[in-house]
Amino acid sequence: MATQILLVEDEAPIREMIRFALAREGFDILEAGDVQAARTQIADNSPELLIVDWMLPDASGVELVRGLRRDPVHRDIPVIMLTARSKESDKVKGLDSGADDYMTKPVAIRELLARINALIRRSQGHQDAEEINAGPLTIDLAGHRLLINGESIHIGQTEYRLLKFFMSHIDRVYSRAQLLDFVWGQNVYVEERTVDVHILRLRKLLKPFGADKMIQTVRGAGYRFSTKIENEVKA
Ligand code: CA
């Protein structure tokens, strides 16, 4: 599958030039002309890399990146910041804007491609090595599969994402609304009861292995994933 890149730039000619060059290299390009549109794209599509212009009409690219770094779901997405002036470049270098790399305009396409490839290699190398473990459960991130006691278990897409989220945030309580935001995406309008349906399916899947108790109902609050199995508080 093609690597998806979100290009956040308000100047249409520059956006078009970069989009054209990257699409030719086989990248799948999403576009946004302002911070608001970028946030929607990130929530809906979880792109694998962001190219963000510093100066955007509704807020600065830096604000977008800072917000991204606080988002538990998307904080690891690599970002290349584009700046118009060397003064801005200095700030990107000096401040903790949260960008992984930066380039000054006018953008040299070959240099941009080299930086994109370097960042993607870095983040994929990181992912390949990674698996998430909790008790008998292992999420094999590269293989996109669930293993229980080392054995691969069939799991639905939504249950996989839900479990992956839980296992990445052990012992923290999340409300149904938060789970919808983090797992389903911020712009997906589904009822909170949907969460309960998928929790039920996940528990059913884990029950033969005694792991269903790791998904705990917290009365009046939501759900928590924990390796410390205790008597569940009934909702
Ligand atoms: Ca701009």
Side-chain angles (χ1 to χ4, degrees), residues 8-11 14 33 52-57 82 84 105:
V8 190
E9 164 66 86
D10 57 317
E11 287 156 85
I14 297 178
V52 179
D53 186 31
W54 175 289
M55 293 292 285
L56 293 163
L82 303 182
K105 289 178 175 180

Side-chain angles (χ1 to χ4, degrees), residues 9-19:
E9 164 66 86
D10 57 317
E11 287 156 85
I14 297 178
R15 203 168 72 212
E16 179 58 24
M17 187 268 288
I18 297 176
R19 189 195 63 75

Side-chain angles (χ1 to χ4, degrees), residues 31-203:
E31 296 174 56
D34 56 37
V35 168
Q36 179 71 35
R39 286 187 178 133
T40 305
Q41 290 277 21
I42 293 164
D44 289 353
N45 297 300
S46 296
E48 283 148 286
L49 186 135
L50 261 59
I51 299 171
V52 179
D53 186 31
W54 175 289
M55 293 292 285
L56 293 163
D58 53 346
S60 81
V62 173
E63 273 176 69
L64 173 66
V65 178
R66 287 209 179 114
L68 186 77
R69 295 302 180 230
R70 287 192 299 266
D71 174 348
V73 181
H74 300 113
R75 69 169 142 231
D76 295 328
I77 300 177
V79 176
I80 298 174
M81 182 82 81
L82 303 182
T83 69
R85 294 183 293 272
S86 58
K87 215 170 131 191
E88 288 171 357
S89 322
D90 289 347
K91 283 187 195 164
V92 176
K93 252 187 293 186
L95 296 172
D96 57 332
S97 68
D100 298 276
D101 204 349
Y102 75 95
M103 280 187 71
T104 48
K105 289 178 175 180
V107 174
I109 285 295
R110 288 184 59 179
E111 188 188 345
L112 178 63
L113 279 169
R115 287 169 190 265
I116 289 170
N117 287 324
L119 279 178
I120 287 173
R121 266 198 308 275
R122 206 165 85 191
S123 75
Q124 281 177 349
H126 179 63
Q127 273 170 18
D128 286 348
E130 219 177 335
E131 54 177 43
I132 311 171
N133 293 289
L137 312 181
T138 300
I139 294 239
D140 166 14
L141 292 168
H144 204 78
R145 60 191 184 138
L146 166 68
L147 302 150
I148 305 183
N149 299 320
E151 192 191 329
S152 182
I153 301 294
H154 178 76
I155 183 167
Q157 270 303 307
T158 305
E159 284 72 49
Y160 174 85
R161 292 198 336 252
L162 188 57
L163 186 60
K164 179 180 155 193
F165 179 79
F166 273 138
M167 288 171 66
S168 310
H169 303 88
I170 289 177
D171 285 326
R172 286 187 58 182
V173 179
Y174 291 94
S175 70
R176 288 166 179 81
Q178 284 175 319
L179 289 171
L180 280 177
D181 279 354
F182 293 143
V183 179
W184 275 259
Q186 275 140 358
N187 295 290
V188 179
Y189 297 98
V190 289
E191 285 184 55
E192 294 194 357
R193 284 190 62 84
T194 305
V195 175
D196 301 331
V197 171
H198 290 280
I199 292 275
L200 203 70
R201 285 190 198 159
L202 195 50
R203 280 183 175 149

Side-chain angles (χ1 to χ4, degrees), residues 170-171 213-214 216 224-231:
I170 289 177
D171 285 326
K213 290 184 177 66
M214 294 168 102
Q216 299 164 2
R224 169 182 55 210
F225 181 89
S226 180
T227 50
K228 300 184 278 284
I229 297 175
E230 49 197 292
N231 288 329

